[in-house]
Amino acid sequence: DAGVIQSPRHEVTEMGQEVTLRCKPISGHDYLFWYRQTMMRGLELLIYFNNNVPIDDSGMPEDRFSAKMPNASFSTLKIQPSEPRDSAVYFCASSSPTSGEETQYFGPGTRLLVL
Amino acid sequence: AQKVTQAQTEISVVEKEDVTLDCVYETRDTTYYLFWYKQPPSGELVFLIRRNSFDEQNEISGRYSWNFQKSTSSFNFTITASQVVDSAVYFCALSEETSGSRLTFGEGTQLTVNP
């Protein structure tokens, strides 16, 4: 399996612009997670989906952030408008606890820099 | 609420030394999972091990070993005969059965192995 795929790997944008991060989970995994990593806050969960349905979005910082999962093989995390404090590494992860695979496997991350 | 504490922010050793990374967790659940992930300088999060709360057997994988003790709520990680390639940030994480599959991460321990 190719593992979790994220794109882009790096994104540099200017404040106010819309940013869209993309994730393809491991085939067969029914849980998908979005995490953010910063020096100040460490690794924090933003939102997760089960069978394409958002289960918990309490970690989403504010209304500027939105996430969707239109099908089992694709998810997006959108920031609109972006701000410099959104600069971070965003990780996507997937797992399949219903199949006994409790482990979350992470994608390579997207390094976002908002100027 | 679940919590993971990695009290060691940074550890520096000389190659071939043994090193133990500490992890203490808090949970009210009886069913939970503990994980260790490695984040090398390249930035990806690499899964190392998963343990469920009903399996207190220690595990050894090559130079890596893990000591799970429910009595002290600890899940420590030892690297034997450390190598320069072991230099990375190591994260301990916890997921509770009643909290869905969300992972709560510790703050991470930066391990530097010097030649």
Side-chain angles (χ1 to χ4, degrees):
Chain A
D1 199 311
V4 177
I5 299 172
Q6 290 186 248
S7 65
R9 295 291 306 275
H10 302 272
E11 178 81 25
V12 180
T13 190
E14 293 188 347
M15 184 173 63
Q17 296 298 305
E18 178 179 295
V19 175
T20 299
L21 311 181
R22 297 172 177 79
C23 175
K24 176 179 168 53
I26 292 172
S27 177
H29 282 190
D30 54 354
Y31 278 74
L32 183 140
F33 306 81
W34 283 100
Y35 292 86
R36 179 171 68 174
Q37 185 177 32
T38 61
M39 290 294 293
M40 292 296 293
R41 300 174 67 90
L43 276 157
E44 52 182 346
L45 177 68
L46 299 177
I47 184 171
Y48 76 94
F49 296 83
N50 178 25
N51 290 323
N52 314 336
V53 176
I55 302 300
D56 185 350
D57 65 354
S58 60
M60 296 284 262
E62 48 198 273
D63 292 345
R64 298 184 297 106
F65 285 69
S66 63
K68 295 181 180 179
M69 192 165 185
N71 57 61
S73 59
F74 184 65
S75 177
T76 59
L77 178 67
K78 187 174 293 186
I79 308 172
Q80 167 62 20
S82 58
E83 296 182 3
R85 59 189 166 131
D86 302 330
S87 299
V89 181
Y90 291 82
F91 288 101
C92 177
S94 71
S95 68
S96 186
T98 48
S99 303
E101 180 53 270
E102 291 288 344
T103 299
Q104 291 184 25
Y105 294 93
F106 285 77
T110 295
R111 290 185 176 274
L112 173 65
L113 177 61
V114 182
L115 302 173
Chain B
Q2 53 188 12
K3 183 179 178 181
V4 177
T5 302
Q6 295 178 253
Q8 305 148 307
T9 304
E10 295 183 21
I11 299 176
S12 183
V13 299
V14 177
E15 209 169 15
K16 297 184 183 177
E17 284 186 24
D18 298 347
V19 57
T20 296
L21 310 181
D22 298 333
C23 173
V24 175
Y25 62 92
E26 294 178 26
T27 178
R28 294 178 182 171
D29 277 23
T30 56
T31 302
Y32 53 89
Y33 297 86
L34 294 163
F35 305 80
W36 277 95
Y37 287 86
K38 174 181 179 181
Q39 188 172 42
S42 52
E44 69 269 29
L45 281 163
V46 180
F47 164 71
L48 295 179
I49 189 172
R50 178 186 87 215
R51 259 295 178 260
N52 73 54
S53 52
F54 300 108
D55 182 3
E56 283 193 77
Q57 274 193 329
N58 292 330
E59 182 157 338
I60 298 174
S61 176
R63 296 184 297 105
Y64 295 173
S65 62
W66 290 269
N67 184 348
F68 176 26
Q69 291 195 341
K70 289 177 73 170
S71 60
T72 56
S73 297
S74 64
F75 186 43
N76 296 337
F77 173 29
T78 297
I79 302 174
T80 303
S82 59
Q83 299 177 1
V84 173
V85 293
D86 296 328
S87 297
V89 180
Y90 291 86
F91 290 96
C92 182
L94 164 72
S95 77
E96 296 174 325
E97 187 178 56
T98 57
S99 298
S101 295
R102 58 170 57 238
L103 278 176
T104 296
F105 285 87
E107 302 88 343
T109 297
Q110 169 71 61
L111 173 65
T112 301
V113 182
N114 299 297

